[in-house]
Amino acid sequence: MWSQPHIESPGPCRTRLHLALVTETWPPEVNGVAHTLARLVEGMRERGHRVQVARPRQPGEVARPCGAGDESVACDHLLAGLPLPGYSGLRMGLPARRRLQALWSEDRPDAVYIATEGPLGHAALRAARRLGIPVASGFHTHFDGYARYYGVGWLTPLVRAVLRRFHNRCDVTLAPTGALAHTLAAQGFQRVRVMARGVDTRRFTPARRSSRLRQQWGAATATSVVLYVGRLAPEKNLALVVDAFRAIQAARPDARLVVVGDGPSRTELERANPDAIFTGQQVGQALAQHYASADLFLFPSTSETFGNVVIEAMASGLPVLAFDSAAAHEHVTSGVSGARVPLTGTASEDAAAFVGAAGALAQDPEAWREMGRQARAHARGLDWVEVVAEFESQCLGILKEGRDASPAMDG
C-alpha cells in the first residue's frame, strides 16, 4: 500500500509532500526541460514541500549530504551517468533501480515524479512500482519524433511504443499543452493531463534591451535584428531559420541574424552563413539581454512538446514567427503578437509557407513594435506561481485517488 503524506500546515498547502523528482537533465545544463524542472522544484519548496532530486552527477560536482529530516531543503542524490553523444554538457543516467529502491525504502517519498524516459527514468519507475509508491511522469520531449531527423525514421513507431508503455505504467502523465495531451491520448497514452508552462517576466523583459549589444552586432537603431534561441541540432529545423531570414533580408538588406545556442549543427551553420552572428549559449541576464535587444523571433521547430523560448521571447517584447504547434499554438495570435504558420504535413509546403510569412512580416517592420507589446502583455499572464500550484495539485491528486489496482509491476 502507499504511504500516507505528512499532514501539516507549512504554508499555502495544508498537505506537506515528500516528493522525489527523477531527471537526467538539470541546471547548469541549458535546455527547456532543465529550466522547467528547476522552477518546479524551487516553487514546491517555497510552498513548504520537501523535494529530493535524483539525477546524474555532473562533471566536477561534489554531492551535498541528504538527511532524512522533513525540512524543506535543497537535496540532490547524485547517480552515475555518461555524456550524451553529440551534446556536450548533457548527461545520460545509468540504471540505478537497486540504489533508488534502497534510498526510498529508508526515506520513503509520498510520490515520485519522473521527468525523463532514459535508463535512470526506467529504473526509477521500476523501483517505485516495487515499493508501491505512486508515480507521475512528464512528457517533456518528443523523442519519438527525433528519429526522422537522424535518418532513422523507421524507428519512430518503436520509440513511441516504448514511450507509451513507460507512461502508461505511471499514475498520470503531464503534458504541457491541451493539443499534445489530445495527440497522446489518440496514440494510446492513458491518464494524460495538462500542466502548462510559465515564464519569468521579471527576468525576460523589454527593459533589458541593450544598445551596446546591438552595436556589437553591427545593428543601428533602425536595423531589424532577427533572433533564434535554442539547441543547434537537426531536429530544430535550422535550415528554415536561415531561409526565413534571407526572405527578410531581401526586403531589409541591413537586417542581422543572431543565433544563440550551441550543438552539433553549429559548425556547419557558421561555415554556410558567415554574415550571421553566432553567440554560443547564453544564460541569465546575458540571455535576457539577447532576447530584448532583438526585434523578431524565429522558431521553425516542429519537434517541440512546448518550446519555452517562445514565451521567453514574448515576455521580452518580441513578435514570434512559428509553426502553429506547441507553445505558439497556445500563446501566439497571428497579426497580434506574431504569426502562426499552419502545418500541412508536407515538409516542402510548410517550409515555403514559413518563408512566405517571414517575407510578409518584412514588408512592415514598424508593426513589429506593436506586436511585441502585445506579446509582452500576453506573457505577463503566464505566472510560474500558477504552474507550480497545478503541479502540486497533480501530485496530491495521485495520492487521493489511491488506485486499488496500480499499473503492472516489473518482474
Side-chain angles (χ1 to χ4, degrees):
M1 297 296 293
W2 296 346
S3 63
Q4 294 297 312
H6 317 293
I7 306 299
E8 300 179 23
S9 301
C13 178
R14 293 185 59 193
T15 302
R16 185 172 183 176
L17 282 169
H18 172 192
L19 177 68
L21 184 144
V22 181
T23 176
E24 286 163 279
T25 183
W26 189 253
E29 294 170 3
V30 181
N31 59 72
V33 179
H35 171 73
T36 296
L37 297 176
R39 293 306 300 257
L40 290 176
V41 169
E42 177 186 21
M44 288 289 281
R45 287 170 175 163
E46 287 176 351
R47 293 175 73 87
H49 302 296
R50 180 179 173 220
V51 184
Q52 294 186 337
V53 180
R55 59 180 178 82
R57 183 189 304 272
Q58 296 168 335
E61 187 173 20
V62 178
R64 289 177 294 180
C66 287
D70 63 357
E71 65 278 0
S72 177
V73 296
C75 178
D76 293 349
H77 293 284
L78 305 185
L79 305 165
L82 293 174
L84 191 62
Y87 292 94
S88 174
L90 295 181
R91 309 286 288 178
M92 177 179 67
L94 298 179
R97 178 188 60 79
R98 290 184 179 179
R99 182 169 176 186
L100 289 174
Q101 195 169 325
L103 169 67
W104 294 340
S105 294
E106 180 181 350
D107 187 20
R108 185 184 181 91
D110 300 315
V112 173
Y113 178 74
I114 304 176
T116 52
E117 305 97 334
L120 180 58
H122 278 80
L125 179 56
R126 289 193 295 271
R129 283 294 167 227
R130 290 192 176 204
L131 294 170
I133 302 171
V135 180
S137 62
F139 199 94
H140 290 272
T141 305
H142 267 306
F143 288 118
D144 52 333
Y146 280 15
R148 65 189 177 98
Y149 295 101
Y150 291 88
V152 288
W154 55 272
L155 280 175
T156 296
L158 176 61
V159 176
R160 183 171 296 154
V162 171
L163 292 173
R164 182 168 52 239
R165 182 176 185 274
F166 176 89
H167 286 283
N168 284 353
R169 295 184 60 253
C170 299
D171 296 290
V172 65
T173 293
L174 303 179
T177 68
L180 178 57
H182 179 78
T183 297
L184 292 175
Q187 293 173 351
F189 288 73
Q190 302 167 2
R191 299 178 295 279
V192 182
R193 298 174 187 167
V194 177
M195 186 189 74
R197 299 290 185 266
V199 64
D200 185 345
T201 56
R202 288 173 294 183
R203 169 176 291 179
F204 298 105
T205 167
R208 296 195 185 275
R209 192 172 180 90
S210 168
S211 58
R212 178 178 298 180
L213 184 57
R214 287 178 60 88
Q215 288 172 3
Q216 293 175 10
W217 296 341
T221 302
T223 301
S224 298
V225 176
V226 179
L227 179 70
Y228 169 83
V229 177
R231 185 177 300 125
L232 305 186
E235 69 272 12
K236 297 299 184 179
N237 215 6
L238 297 171
L240 200 44
V241 171
V242 175
D243 291 345
F245 170 71
R246 297 304 177 199
I248 293 169
Q249 194 178 40
R252 307 281 298 174
D254 64 339
R256 304 291 284 162
L257 174 61
V258 176
V259 179
V260 176
D262 212 339
S265 299
R266 179 176 175 177
T267 299
E268 181 181 349
L269 281 169
E270 282 192 283
R271 186 184 303 118
N273 301 281
D275 59 331
I277 300 160
F278 290 79
T279 72
Q281 286 185 346
Q282 301 291 324
V283 297
Q285 181 173 325
L287 175 60
Q289 286 183 333
H290 279 67
Y291 275 119
S293 301
D295 301 295
L296 175 68
F297 188 71
L298 299 182
F299 196 67
S301 175
T302 59
S303 64
E304 308 300 312
T305 58
F306 187 71
N308 292 48
V309 292
V310 168
I311 55 176
E312 290 173 355
M314 294 178 73
S316 303
L318 300 186
V320 174
L321 171 59
F323 283 114
D324 187 13
S325 66
H329 177 77
E330 298 279 316
H331 299 296
V332 177
T333 302
S334 287
V336 176
S337 55
R340 290 199 323 245
V341 179
L343 283 164
T344 66
T346 304
S348 59
E349 292 180 4
D350 292 344
F354 194 93
V355 172
L361 285 169
Q363 300 305 314
D364 189 11
E366 294 302 317
W368 297 3
R369 195 169 293 108
E370 177 57 29
M371 286 192 288
R373 281 194 285 267
Q374 294 296 329
R376 168 68 181 178
H378 178 85
R380 288 175 67 89
L382 306 178
D383 198 310
W384 270 111
V385 171
E386 294 185 12
V387 176
V388 172
E390 175 60 25
F391 181 63
E392 174 189 76
S393 175
Q394 296 290 358
C395 292
L396 290 170
I398 61 173
L399 290 175
K400 293 175 182 176
E401 288 168 10
R403 285 192 180 84
D404 293 329
S406 55
M409 297 183 188
D410 279 348

